[in-house]
Amino acid sequence: MGIAARVERFVAMGTRIELHVFGVGSEDALVAARRAIEGVDDALTIHRPSPTTALNDELLAGHSVAIDDPVLAEALIAIDAAHALTEGLFDPAADRRFAGAGWGDLVFDRSSARIAATRPLALDFGGFGKGFALDRACAALRDAGVVCACLSAGESSIAVIGEHPLGGGWPFAIPDPSRTDAVLVEVELVDEALSISTTVGAGTQAPERAAMIRPTDGGIVTAARCTVAIDRTGGAAEAMSTALLVADAARARRLLDAAPAQRFLYDLSKAAARTDDTARMQAA
Amino acid sequence: MTDKDFNLSRRSFIDRVLTATAGAGMATAAPWAVSAASAAAGAEPVKSNPVRLGVIGTGDRGRALIQNIAKSRNCTVVAICDSYAPNLVKAQQWAPTARRFADHREMLDARGIDAVVIATPLDTHAKLCFDAFDAGLHVWCEKAMARTIADCGAMITHAKAAGKILQIGHQRMFHPTYLNALKRARAGEIGTLTQIRASWHRNNAWRRAVPADANDRQINWRLYRDRSAGLMTELATHQLQVGNWFLDAVPTRVIGSGSICFWKDGREVYDHVALIYEYSGGRKLIYTSLLNNARYGCEEQIQGSKGTIEPELGRIYQEVPAKVLALQRMHKDVARGHKRTVPIGGATWFPELPVTTPGESLGWGEYDETMLQFEGFGEAVRAGKPLPGLLRQAYQASVASLLGEQAMDQNQAMTWPTNLVAI
């Protein structure tokens, strides 16, 4: 007898979401997971009125704000942790309009859920939102009894629950975004999340996609890079892949050495070289 | 080109037409071409007892026709007529032995011709046709048929009453590329046809210099409303015929917008037209023509669910299949107990730019279809029997162009007339 499988496909977070559930789990598991993702989208989007745009209005006006949206509050806590994890390289407050502004200009009191800015700035959660949404969806699925699932937010953000339906890790191959016939790395996930960030490839040309800002100087990242990060949570994986994309050599080295089997950085400017030579491609 | 080279070229062209019209259903889809090409294939190697033609109107188009008639095996120009003397002089080099007339009545009265070829301004077509039929002659007339829908019908009625052939010039109906395109469309290669986007875009004033011995209405007759419907009758007619032909129907109604948008030089006809012709089943022909941008030129994009045909470019394109998503494959793998690596991380957003795949050639060749038109006309005159199906196509194309003009002028949707002449 085959393994029962269910799938939910929809558009949210500005991308295509796919939720694949295998085996046990309550009937409403997928609906709950979808609602969780849509709830994150509603809370974190800056493309329509949301708790985040309301927060940004207040921060730009120099006001201290009490966060009353629980999803936004949870996201800010996760971002605070991710900012520290990435040596400050993941910074949703980095903004070319306000050169030098960053997360360090915010005072965030987790206990009271109050946040204030010492200078005008605004938050843009970018890809972090997708990973964070997958985390919330995974939590909803687990609450619904799901033990085996694969979730995708636009293919560059993946989260899995448990092992592959046929046992062992979930095997994924990360293609070279600049060469469709080449693979950068193959990884296996179990109860983990994966994030891929790149400055090249078709996806980077999407009209609504914002430029990647380097928080250290507010410049736009133009180096041809692709980064891959694996973590227990999607939010952390997203933050790390973003950080690796903007990191200078020294910071990149430190971040990669801290988890060499879970963090990868590829310099795609050497396009003539074989891209499956991952040892050479990884940043020195 | 030597006579031998021309004979080879002619043979090759006719073979391509025969090949293109040999497919299933083509005998009903393009019966005129089947008939004309079959006759041409069996034609005598040299002209003998040709159909004698008198050409009325020896401007640029008339002179081009005279040159094509010269290539045919069964027609010859024995008389030329134009009220503007310089045109007659220019035409003489292509028909040096032809008698010359300044008035068409004199040419008709002089006898010695079997048929007339009309290549004059649009508003004169109907009257010249009537006079020719009254003189007992057959008629080959340039498209569009006439300035009004009523006159288009009257031309057919007169031809019937006189028992004479009326053939309208639509060279695409004899072109091997178009015939091959139709054959492949009918064979289902581009799936269900739901839309045709047709355009004829030029970047010029469409205005000719007026010699001292002429006036603007004579030379630039296409820019005057009482003489022409402008872009609709002079250009769109061809493409509307293609649309009707490929969609195997006539429009149910048309909406449109026209304007004198760029060339504000006193002209009376639109220099920008945009129309939607609706066909049964929700199908559409979207037509634009303008005179200040030539990037997209002249083309009919025949769009089906499996592919596209662009006959002017002579290409057929298959739809690029949708990307197979990695997770869908994974899902299926699990269902059959198979585990393999999932390629992931590809962008899920791709710019929806025009697909630039090269497609496949529909076949190309020398542009001799006008010659074949006349060989077909010559055979029709000899047999006293028109090329099957051709006049219906031409009539419907002319009506479509004039109905489009009405839709733009009246700023309202125009339904297909129910009182057309039966053919």
Side-chain angles (χ1 to χ4, degrees):
Chain A
M1 186 173 167
I3 300 167
R6 289 171 286 164
V7 63
E8 180 86 1
R9 295 187 180 92
F10 57 99
V11 172
M13 315 294 294
T15 192
R16 182 176 57 229
I17 308 287
E18 292 198 27
L19 312 176
H20 296 257
V21 169
F22 300 90
V24 299
S26 66
E27 285 193 4
D28 60 355
L30 281 170
V31 173
R34 177 172 180 162
R35 296 284 174 269
I37 290 171
E38 291 171 340
V40 172
D41 195 4
D42 289 342
L44 304 191
T45 185
I46 58 169
H47 302 296
R48 60 181 188 276
S50 71
T52 299
T53 58
L55 168 62
N56 283 341
D57 289 342
E58 298 298 324
L59 293 176
L60 287 166
H63 299 153
S64 171
V65 189
I67 307 297
D68 56 8
D69 183 277
V71 176
L72 176 57
E74 189 182 328
L76 290 171
I77 292 170
I79 285 168
D80 205 29
H83 183 258
L85 177 72
T86 60
E87 299 187 12
L89 289 171
F90 170 69
D91 191 336
D95 191 326
R96 295 195 78 208
R97 293 172 299 171
F98 312 110
W103 189 258
D105 296 310
L106 286 166
V107 178
F108 178 47
D109 181 351
R110 294 188 185 198
S111 60
S112 64
R114 288 199 75 83
I115 191 166
T118 57
R119 56 184 295 187
L121 53 75
L123 301 175
D124 179 353
F125 298 111
F128 170 86
K130 291 195 294 177
F132 181 70
L134 292 185
D135 291 339
R136 304 261 308 177
C138 284
L141 291 173
R142 287 189 173 101
D143 288 347
V146 172
V147 296
C148 181
C150 177
L151 290 67
S152 164
E155 290 197 15
S156 62
S157 304
I158 301 289
V160 300
I161 296 175
E163 293 188 344
H164 188 276
L166 301 177
W170 295 80
F172 292 103
I174 315 301
D176 184 335
S178 61
R179 290 176 53 192
T180 55
D181 59 339
V183 170
L184 292 176
V185 64
E186 293 191 12
V187 296
E188 290 209 354
L189 308 182
V190 177
D191 277 323
E192 290 172 304
L194 165 74
S195 170
I196 305 158
S197 294
T198 183
T199 56
V200 299
T204 62
Q205 300 161 25
E208 74 280 13
R209 183 177 163 119
M212 185 66 72
I213 305 299
R214 187 166 42 239
T216 50
D217 61 6
I220 294 175
V221 176
T222 57
R225 280 184 174 181
C226 181
T227 64
V228 180
I230 299 168
D231 205 289
R232 284 292 164 195
T233 71
E238 293 290 336
M240 185 55 68
S241 71
T242 302
L244 289 169
L245 206 63
V246 302
D248 59 25
R251 285 189 175 91
R253 181 75 277 158
R254 284 199 299 275
L255 294 174
L256 291 168
D257 285 350
Q262 294 173 305
R263 299 172 187 171
F264 308 88
L265 189 158
Y266 300 95
D267 175 2
L268 302 180
S269 63
K270 297 160 185 171
R274 286 174 57 82
T275 51
D276 56 358
D277 182 2
T278 56
R280 187 196 65 74
M281 295 292 291
Q282 257 182 278
Chain B
M1 183 182 283
T2 66
D3 286 348
K4 185 181 176 188
D5 289 342
F6 172 73
N7 287 338
L8 287 171
S9 166
R10 180 183 183 280
R11 183 71 242 177
S12 166
F13 170 79
I14 291 168
D15 284 347
R16 282 199 299 275
V17 175
L18 287 169
T19 301
T21 53
M26 289 300 286
T28 52
W32 58 86
V34 175
S35 181
S38 300
E44 298 147 357
V46 292
K47 285 188 186 185
S48 62
N49 193 26
V51 173
R52 299 165 300 169
L53 304 179
V55 177
I56 306 174
T58 56
D60 288 346
R61 184 58 187 160
R63 293 197 295 276
L65 294 177
I66 290 169
Q67 291 171 64
N68 276 289
I69 292 166
K71 297 174 188 171
S72 72
R73 291 279 167 79
N74 56 2
C75 295
T76 189
V77 175
V78 297
I80 54 178
C81 173
D82 201 303
S83 58
Y84 184 57
N87 280 346
L88 269 182
V89 173
K90 287 180 187 173
Q92 201 174 4
Q93 66 173 304
W94 305 109
T97 61
R99 289 176 293 166
R100 289 184 285 164
F101 299 90
D103 181 90
H104 78 279
R105 288 262 23 132
E106 290 175 19
M107 184 174 87
L108 300 181
D109 291 342
R111 316 303 294 177
I113 57 177
D114 304 307
V116 298
V117 172
I118 299 172
T120 56
L122 179 65
D123 62 319
T124 65
H125 286 185
K127 173 70 165 59
L128 293 170
C129 266
F130 302 156
D131 288 349
F133 290 138
D134 289 345
L137 301 174
H138 303 281
V139 173
W140 186 101
C141 182
E142 262 296 339
K143 66 79 215 147
M145 288 179 71
R147 183 63 188 89
T148 66
I149 292 174
D151 273 352
C152 295
M155 286 165 67
I156 295 169
T157 305
H158 271 71
K160 276 186 189 173
K164 298 298 176 185
I165 307 296
L166 171 61
Q167 185 170 321
I168 308 299
H170 277 282
Q171 64 263 30
R172 285 166 178 75
M173 297 171 71
F174 295 85
H175 196 297
T177 303
Y178 277 85
L179 292 165
N180 199 19
L182 184 75
K183 179 180 176 178
R184 296 181 69 163
R186 291 286 164 90
E189 287 194 42
I190 61 169
T192 303
L193 271 61
T194 54
Q195 178 172 290
I196 295 175
R197 279 198 320 195
S199 62
W200 203 322
H201 295 182
R202 291 175 168 174
N203 195 345
N204 62 53
W206 214 30
R207 177 180 283 286
R208 296 175 183 175
V210 181
D213 59 351
N215 62 55
D216 197 52
R217 287 180 57 82
Q218 276 179 288
I219 304 300
N220 289 307
W221 56 271
R222 292 175 299 184
L223 306 182
Y224 290 88
R225 272 186 169 260
D226 60 340
R227 308 215 70 189
S228 167
L231 298 171
M232 294 308 298
T233 45
E234 309 313 317
L235 300 182
T237 320
H238 282 302
Q239 296 171 294
L240 296 173
Q241 184 274 318
V242 171
N244 291 345
W245 191 21
F246 276 74
L247 293 172
D248 196 19
V250 292
T252 53
R253 66 171 198 160
V254 55
I255 56 176
S257 171
S259 60
I260 301 173
C261 190
F262 186 81
W263 296 102
K264 300 176 190 296
D265 55 2
R267 70 186 57 206
E268 297 174 357
V269 299
Y270 302 131
D271 65 359
H272 275 62
V273 299
L275 306 105
I276 299 175
Y277 287 85
E278 298 175 350
Y279 291 75
S280 60
R283 298 173 298 164
K284 296 174 190 67
L285 185 154
I286 301 168
Y287 187 78
T288 63
S289 185
L290 51 85
L291 292 174
N292 67 314
N293 183 300
R295 176 173 173 81
Y296 296 102
C298 171
E299 186 57 276
E300 300 95 35
Q301 299 166 329
I302 299 160
Q303 300 169 312
S305 54
K306 295 179 182 174
T308 302
I309 287 173
E310 294 181 351
E312 289 292 323
L313 283 174
R315 311 296 291 181
I316 180 170
Y317 310 88
Q318 299 304 316
E319 285 288 284
V320 177
K323 187 184 172 202
V324 177
L325 297 176
L327 290 175
Q328 289 177 354
R329 195 191 74 176
M330 179 269 290
H331 206 94
K332 290 177 182 169
D333 282 351
V334 170
R336 61 191 180 99
H338 183 60
K339 180 180 176 183
R340 59 175 160 167
T341 301
V342 181
I344 203 77
T348 51
W349 181 89
F350 290 92
E352 292 185 76
L353 299 172
V355 177
T356 54
T357 50
E360 179 193 342
S361 173
L362 283 166
W364 195 237
E366 279 196 51
Y367 222 64
D368 283 348
E369 66 278 4
T370 301
M371 174 271 292
L372 184 58
Q373 282 191 89
F374 280 105
E375 293 211 3
F377 179 62
E379 285 309 306
V381 169
R382 282 174 167 172
K385 195 173 168 187
L387 291 179
L390 191 151
L391 186 57
R392 180 192 306 277
Q393 287 278 332
Y395 181 40
Q396 292 170 343
S398 287
V399 170
S401 70
L402 293 164
L403 197 65
E405 182 196 34
Q406 291 177 16
M408 292 187 291
D409 287 350
Q410 298 175 30
N411 195 27
Q412 65 179 34
M414 301 300 296
T415 55
W416 188 253
T418 55
N419 58 346
L420 296 182
V421 172
I423 300 176

